[in-house]
Amino acid sequence: MVILDASASTGRHGALGRAKALLSGLFEQAYRQRVRLAVLQAGGRDARWSWLDRPASARLQAWLIRLGAGGGTPLEDALRQAHDWLVRRQRQRPTERQRLLIFTDGRLRHLPAQLIPCCPSLLIDIESGPIRLGRGRLLAERLGAEYRSLD
């Protein structure tokens, strides 16, 4: 499961472009390994499913190329949707290995409420530019996720 913050703030200083480059490689690897993916895009007003429980394919790469940044950061909505979907998925397929990857610059009005992680999670902080708020690390701690900076 991938959550990608595509809010307006990620469009500045190349943050979204750098995240897309990393995701492109990840999607290629998923394709070669025949991994099923779910991708939630958090940008604008609502989080929306861009890819749901399908094998990686060239269509996913095409979506990634077209993706632009804009609007707000509905990351809390995306986290809630992802959590609910992953919990249902675990009940349906208990032997499946799951992993949640969150790409965000952490530029939220407020940090979301703590969610109990339902699978190993990794937050990749894509914040860039001369002024950094450093909220990605705090968000990772709140979510019980491992933290990595894209740098």
Side-chain angles (χ1 to χ4, degrees), residues 16-145:
L16 183 60
R18 292 174 49 224
K20 286 169 59 173
L22 180 61
L23 275 170
S24 179
L26 182 125
F27 291 162
E28 178 64 30
Q29 184 179 22
Y31 173 75
R32 282 187 265 122
Q33 294 177 356
R34 302 187 194 296
V35 172
R36 297 186 73 81
L37 294 174
V39 180
L40 256 171
Q41 176 184 339
R45 293 186 180 165
D46 302 309
R48 58 192 170 282
W49 293 99
S50 300
W51 197 262
L52 186 56
D53 191 23
R54 295 186 290 183
S57 75
R59 288 184 21 220
L60 186 55
Q61 292 285 359
W63 165 82
L64 189 59
I65 290 167
R66 291 189 311 273
L67 178 68
T73 311
L75 192 60
E76 189 166 10
D77 179 38
L79 289 166
R80 200 169 288 113
Q81 286 187 50
H83 183 268
D84 293 347
W85 188 82
L86 286 165
V87 167
R88 279 192 313 274
R89 182 81 178 185
Q90 282 178 341
R91 280 195 305 264
Q92 294 167 350
R93 298 182 181 176
T95 60
E96 182 179 76
R97 288 187 328 176
Q98 297 177 339
R99 179 127 173 128
L100 174 61
L101 302 174
I102 305 162
F103 290 79
T104 184
D105 63 2
R107 291 188 177 241
L108 310 167
R109 292 187 197 278
H110 64 279
L111 291 175
Q114 185 171 7
L115 291 173
I116 311 269
C118 55
C119 66
S121 303
L122 171 64
L123 185 140
I124 299 171
D125 189 348
I126 63 173
E127 185 175 37
S128 61
I131 300 173
R132 298 186 184 197
L133 302 178
R135 297 188 81 196
R137 186 177 300 278
L138 295 172
L139 180 59
E141 288 173 10
R142 170 122 350 141
L143 298 174

